[in-house]
Amino acid sequence: MDWFRKEKNKTLGVAHGKRRYDIPLTQKDGSGFLVLLVTLMSFLVLIITDGAFLMSTLSNRWQSGLENKVTIEIPAERNDGSIMTPAQLDKLGKRVMAIIDGHKIIKQATLMKKEEIQQLISPWLGHNDTMLDTLPFPVLIAVELNTRDPDALKEIEKKINKLSPEASLDTHEDWLNDLLRLTSTLKYAAFFLSLMILLTTATAIAGAVRSSMSAHHQELELLHLMGSTDRYITRQFQRYIFILTAKGAAIASVLVFPILGLAYALSNKDNSALLPSFAIEPVYFMFLALCPVLMPLFSVLIARWTVLKSLEEMP
């Protein structure tokens, strides 16, 4: 009996290490390519998914940050082309504040100072103090609402226009909706790309399994003759694929951390107001931690389906 087992191992092959295979899967070179493929695909999925989560975070932040908030602007230039003096603008700003102060829908109104307006536009014009000092700055009033009432806002805008026909009340809805549509499109595009990468990975794994089964066709026939079931043979391939894909997914998860650190450093760097603040929801870190498990499980399912399908096709 012992002789038979030795002969069986010698004939069918033994994997390196403690785990034994009745099919010499590890004797064929090509496992390194599969590990590399899974590493690259997992890395791309993690990066793209990170971008999707970031878009979702930004859209939620913009929406919550501008909810029930409007801006009143009085341009320095009149409709006839003349420029109002700072004193005239200051007087108009105070008169507008008197109109909106105490209104039932107004929670808080703040007349922005010149320094605050300069800080808002400096990322687009640079920190050129000479240029900023020569520009005619408009009057900006940041308003926070108790409730968004379109009729009440129109009434306030009419009163403001009586003081200054050039004045406008911006509810931020137009450009905010454009931003939200853009972020939603990018988010869904990222998830679609991730799905395409997973389908590509599944196709590659299925191809690798079929190629391995074709290379070991004689061993598979011998196992069938010895009474091995399809489920037993399938487990051989499942274990082999699980180990290789687990290595690739783990390497990809480790490689993503430097990318995340670099993105965080760039987005939170001083004088980088044009870049969005980099923030990741905890759900992404959970996904990052689960990737070394999810990708192998996904690969095992593909390998199982491929092996069973191929065994059914065998005579």
Side-chain angles (χ1 to χ4, degrees):
M1 196 68 178
D2 294 338
W3 175 84
F4 177 79
R5 290 174 181 169
K6 291 180 181 178
E7 285 298 315
K8 176 184 174 184
N9 289 338
K10 182 177 179 181
T11 302
L12 297 179
V14 179
H16 298 292
K18 295 181 180 180
R19 292 188 178 274
R20 294 176 178 270
Y21 295 91
D22 289 330
I23 306 171
L25 298 174
T26 59
Q27 292 184 3
K28 296 289 185 179
D29 191 18
S31 60
F33 173 77
L34 186 58
V35 172
L36 178 61
L37 176 68
V38 173
T39 299
L40 294 176
M41 293 301 183
S42 300
F43 181 82
L44 289 176
V45 168
L46 288 173
I47 291 296
I48 293 173
T49 306
D50 173 45
F53 280 121
L54 180 59
M55 288 295 103
S56 179
T57 301
L58 287 176
S59 62
N60 292 336
R61 186 183 304 169
W62 286 330
Q63 193 167 10
S64 62
L66 293 177
E67 187 178 7
N68 291 333
K69 292 184 179 179
V70 298
T71 301
I72 298 174
E73 178 185 1
I74 304 177
E77 184 179 2
R78 293 192 178 96
N79 292 332
D80 58 7
S82 62
I83 304 297
M84 287 186 282
T85 64
Q88 291 174 324
L89 288 170
D90 184 63
K91 183 179 179 180
L92 275 177
K94 291 179 179 179
R95 293 180 66 183
V96 171
M97 288 290 291
I99 290 176
I100 63 177
D101 187 30
H103 198 284
K104 61 180 181 179
I105 70 166
I106 304 297
K107 181 178 181 180
Q108 182 181 359
T110 304
L111 181 61
M112 299 184 65
K113 299 179 180 179
K114 180 180 178 181
E115 293 76 13
E116 294 175 323
I117 301 176
Q118 286 180 336
Q119 188 176 2
L120 286 175
I121 67 174
S122 60
W124 283 267
L125 299 179
H127 296 275
N128 190 329
D129 295 336
T130 304
M131 179 183 295
L132 292 175
D133 289 337
T134 58
L135 290 176
F137 289 99
V139 173
L140 293 180
I141 301 175
V143 181
E144 185 175 358
L145 306 176
N146 288 314
T147 181
R148 186 176 287 270
D149 186 344
D151 293 334
L153 289 175
K154 289 181 180 179
E155 178 187 346
I156 293 175
E157 188 172 18
K158 287 181 180 179
K159 291 181 178 180
I160 295 173
N161 288 145
K162 290 180 180 179
L163 292 177
S164 174
E166 300 85 7
S168 62
L169 191 149
D170 187 4
T171 59
H172 312 296
E173 289 183 355
D174 293 337
W175 69 270
L176 180 58
N177 289 334
D178 291 339
L179 283 176
L180 292 178
R181 280 194 294 268
L182 175 62
T183 54
S184 296
T185 301
L186 293 176
K187 181 173 63 177
Y188 291 125
F191 285 127
F192 178 76
L193 286 176
S194 297
L195 179 61
M196 290 297 100
I197 292 174
L198 289 176
L199 290 177
T200 303
T201 305
T203 303
I205 291 174
V209 171
R210 283 186 175 272
S211 177
S212 180
M213 293 183 69
S214 177
H216 300 294
H217 183 76
Q218 294 181 353
E219 288 87 346
L220 294 176
E221 288 185 343
L222 181 56
L223 285 175
H224 269 150
L225 291 175
M226 293 173 61
S228 297
T229 63
D230 289 352
R231 182 175 296 181
Y232 177 80
I233 296 173
T234 301
R235 285 200 296 265
Q236 300 274 313
F237 284 94
Q238 286 181 182
R239 185 175 66 189
Y240 178 66
I241 294 297
F242 181 86
I243 293 173
L244 294 182
T245 53
K247 291 179 181 178
I251 294 172
S253 297
V254 172
L255 292 177
V256 165
F257 280 104
I259 305 298
L260 296 180
L262 180 61
Y264 180 83
L266 289 176
S267 65
N268 293 278
K269 185 180 178 182
D270 293 337
N271 302 325
S272 60
L274 291 178
L275 293 176
S277 178
F278 187 81
I280 303 178
E281 297 293 334
V283 65
Y284 177 73
F285 286 104
M286 187 182 300
F287 177 76
L288 188 64
L290 290 176
C291 181
V293 178
L294 294 177
M295 183 60 79
L297 290 178
F298 171 75
S299 302
V300 164
L301 292 176
I302 298 300
R304 177 182 176 82
W305 180 84
T306 304
V307 173
L308 291 175
K309 189 71 174 177
S310 299
L311 290 176
E312 289 178 359
E313 298 171 356
M314 289 181 62

